[in-house]
Amino acid sequence: MDRSTQWLELPPITQGIKPNRLLIFLPGESSAELFTPVAIAWQLKFPSAICIILQPPLRNSLWWGKGHSRRDAAPACAREVARNVQHHQQAFGLLASQTALIGFSQGGTVALELARRTRPELDADATCLDLPVCSIVVAYAAQLARPLSARESVVCSVHLIHGDLDHRVPSIYGQQAYKSLKAAGADVTLDLLADSTHTIGQDGVIVGTMRAMQSIFRGRRKGQVPTLH
């Protein structure tokens, strides 16, 4: 990984083609290098996708300092990630509708920030992003950084995945996020993985990729232009 750019790039498994999907991975408490097996496992389901694994900016691969009380830093992290995502979309000629964010722990919380925006008919909120940067968010072991307000909407499909034995970020946070997102009218799912801790195992990859594919194919049935994966 080039430390000056702070990301790791995995080219499509299917060689000789232009990438038709962008998968952005946001690790939490894990470096981009250590998160590579998860990205590869996802890419096996999306062989025509290009994968970008972003390196969390702080020591110990954190997005912000330890502790739940520091989640107020998540919106600023999300704005920086949004600029990074848009850079890669322009570089590869891909759209937000072809982009999925996959985040874990703090990275999952940052991904959830990127799913929300101020309702266009209301006054602009400086803490929210103006334009969506993705169509799908898959957030493992995540929690909302802050409550959703009545002025906000959720601009993409959100899939929450949480281990029921996660003691670092207990599953109650995933349940709370689900209820808040659902109340805001989001297209959201929650999967609690039995006997799973604070990690992404094979079951987590299977459920996450399945949920992402469901969103893609559901979009096709609504008459959107299909994007092969």
Side-chain angles (χ1 to χ4, degrees):
M1 182 180 68
D2 183 349
R3 287 290 178 181
S4 66
T5 55
Q6 296 298 295
W7 70 74
L8 190 153
E9 179 180 318
L10 302 180
I13 293 176
T14 303
Q15 299 182 358
I17 64 163
K18 181 181 182 295
N20 56 23
R21 190 163 297 279
L22 177 61
L23 304 182
I24 301 284
F25 294 87
L26 309 178
E29 305 162 53
S30 173
S31 68
E33 290 94 336
L34 292 177
F35 208 76
T36 300
V38 174
I40 291 173
W42 265 77
Q43 200 175 34
L44 290 173
K45 298 292 185 179
F46 297 92
S48 299
I50 189 162
C51 295
I52 302 294
I53 312 171
L54 299 185
Q55 173 67 31
L58 303 183
R59 292 182 60 185
N60 300 321
S61 297
L62 297 173
W63 291 93
W64 58 81
K66 291 184 178 179
H68 297 307
S69 63
R70 302 295 300 276
R71 294 198 309 275
D72 56 358
C77 293
R79 287 191 289 273
E80 183 62 31
V81 168
R83 288 189 285 269
N84 203 320
V85 172
Q86 290 165 345
H87 164 79
H88 289 295
Q89 288 169 340
Q90 293 172 2
F92 298 114
L94 297 171
L95 305 173
S97 60
Q98 297 169 287
T99 303
L101 301 185
I102 301 96
F104 174 69
S105 194
Q106 287 187 352
T109 295
V110 174
L112 292 178
E113 278 294 305
L114 288 159
R116 58 201 290 173
R117 65 178 297 192
T118 300
R119 294 180 185 276
E121 68 271 17
L122 299 176
D123 291 339
D125 182 343
T127 64
C128 295
L129 298 164
D130 293 332
L131 296 172
V133 297
C134 65
S135 61
I136 299 169
V137 164
V138 179
Y140 294 92
Q143 53 191 311
L144 287 173
R146 54 198 169 93
L148 282 156
S149 74
R151 300 170 60 188
E152 292 180 274
S153 61
V154 180
V155 296
C156 59
S157 297
V158 177
H159 304 295
L160 304 167
I161 303 172
H162 225 110
D164 66 349
L165 298 181
D166 188 337
H167 297 299
R168 187 170 300 179
V169 183
S171 61
I172 186 64
Y173 287 107
Q175 296 173 43
Q176 290 172 347
Y178 173 80
K179 291 178 182 178
S180 296
L181 291 164
K182 194 71 174 177
D187 173 24
V188 58
T189 63
L190 170 63
D191 290 284
L192 293 178
L193 303 182
D195 303 321
S196 183
T197 58
H198 192 71
T199 187
I200 303 178
Q202 185 63 30
D203 287 348
V205 170
I206 290 172
V207 172
T209 54
M210 176 193 71
R211 290 298 190 185
M213 287 182 179
Q214 287 174 344
S215 292
I216 292 167
F217 284 103
R218 184 169 63 247
R220 292 180 192 175
R221 289 200 298 271
K222 291 179 181 179
Q224 296 178 354
V225 176
T227 301
L228 298 179
H229 65 278

